[in-house]
DNA sequence: GGACGATTCCCCACATTTCCCCACGCGCCC
DNA sequence: GGGCGCGTGGGGAAATGTGGGGAATCGTCC
């Protein structure tokens, strides 16, 4: 039940974005139509269904908070995080802080990314693709071994 | 039910600060709407819900008080500590000593930091962020392995 | 020992924001 | 071609953050 596909949807004046119906169908019942939304890597937003996020929390819980680097990381990941649920129309509302952070204005690119969903500003994503030094085939060789 | 998110709220003339509703909902019933507030690491205030603080007390209890370093640490952490409870409006009042210590004036940044809540002076937090040598992605690579 | 003052605590009221519900139109699928 | 599902937009009600006031408590000074 992994998240697949992409779609470009509008972000309305209230910061709401629809989650594609196909991705909604990939949601485990245990997720209870609820996500944890937070800052992603490389200037995008991560959307973890509740059941997946629980695993991440367990990993964080196992860290040693008396380590300075751990505190830095925990502050960065948790300060952007919040819980969001689907409304009756299958949308979530993105916190203003995250909209500013990834510079969303008007439209958003929704990406299925296996265990989570990503939200990008379409232009930022174009820029990200162009920055990639390695092509698809080279990446596959080095990652999948 | 970890603490997530951030908010910038005002500190009124009586030293009161609201705790964001979302964080209040993450409070375990066992915490009984009560926190232990104390000096945090890196110039901020730590706010531990009562149930989490119990764990810390057990850790401290296990330390060897005949060790000079242990005594120094215990003095530092305990001398700033006190118990605070939420009022009818979901606020706590911060002891004057801690307000002076982190140089709060007028507004405070409330951070969810997994097992506790942090209170920063907004400018101090900006300075802290700028001091960070590593970016988010690098930190994640070194911490989460 | 009593009275005064300062401080703390609790309650009430307002303004803003957030959330939830309803309604419309396009497009896809049957 | 018709119906149903899906994405989009707006409005009303409840919850949230903010400020102030009054009563009880504590400590201090006379």
């Amino acid at each position: 039940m992994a998240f697949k596909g992409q779609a470009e949807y509008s972000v309305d004046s209230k910061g709401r974005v629809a989650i594609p119906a196909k991705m909604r169908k990939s949601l485990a019942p245990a997720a209870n139509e609820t996500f944890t939304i937070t800052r992603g890597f490389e200037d995008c937003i991560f959307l973890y269904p509740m059941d997946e996020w629980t695993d991440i929390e367990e990993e964080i819980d196992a860290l040693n908070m008396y380590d300075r680097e751990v505190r830095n990381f925990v502050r960065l990941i948790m300060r952007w995080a919040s819980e969001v649920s689907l409304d009756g129309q299958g949308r979530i509302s993105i916190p203003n802080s995250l909209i500013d952070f990834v510079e969303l204005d008007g439209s958003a690119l929704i990406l299925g990314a296996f265990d989570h969903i990503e939200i990008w500003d379409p232009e930022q994503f174009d820029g990200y693709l162009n920055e990639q030094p390695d092509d698809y085939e080279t990446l596959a060789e080095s990652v999948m071994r």
Side-chain angles (χ1 to χ4, degrees), chain A:
Chain A
M1 298 289 264
F3 297 112
K4 303 187 253 298
Q6 68 172 341
E8 190 169 336
Y9 286 166
S10 66
V11 183
D12 67 18
S13 57
K14 296 182 179 176
R16 295 178 298 189
V17 185
I19 300 301
K22 290 185 179 174
M23 297 188 194
R24 293 204 300 262
K25 284 172 186 159
S26 302
L27 266 181
N32 199 24
E33 301 205 326
T34 303
F35 299 87
T36 293
I37 190 170
T38 188
R39 168 183 178 179
F41 300 128
E42 287 91 28
D43 297 319
C44 72
I45 295 173
F46 280 178
L47 209 53
Y48 281 94
M50 200 207 260
D51 54 322
E52 294 281 347
W53 179 255
T54 306
D55 298 344
I56 295 181
E57 285 203 347
E58 281 169 14
E59 287 180 52
I60 295 177
D61 194 35
L63 298 175
N64 178 10
M65 292 290 176
Y66 298 108
D67 180 338
R68 192 183 301 261
E69 266 202 339
V70 167
R71 286 198 299 276
N72 294 345
F73 174 70
V74 170
R75 283 182 186 126
L76 286 184
I77 190 172
M78 296 305 285
R79 98 183 170 103
W80 297 100
S82 68
E83 276 199 0
V84 292
S85 294
L86 293 175
D87 67 7
Q89 282 63 43
R91 294 173 293 193
I92 57 159
S93 57
I94 307 178
N96 288 331
S97 54
L98 283 171
I99 290 186
D100 294 343
F101 180 70
V102 298
E103 300 175 18
L104 283 183
D105 62 328
S107 67
L109 195 65
I110 323 286
L111 254 64
F114 201 77
D115 61 344
H116 65 282
I117 295 171
E118 297 190 355
I119 300 176
W120 291 73
D121 176 72
E123 286 137 30
Q124 295 266 337
F125 188 67
D126 279 347
Y128 162 75
L129 284 183
N130 291 333
E131 279 172 14
Q132 292 311 308
D134 299 328
D135 59 21
Y136 188 36
E137 291 80 3
T138 311
L139 265 177
E141 263 184 43
S142 91
V143 170
M144 305 290 274
R145 51 176 67 251

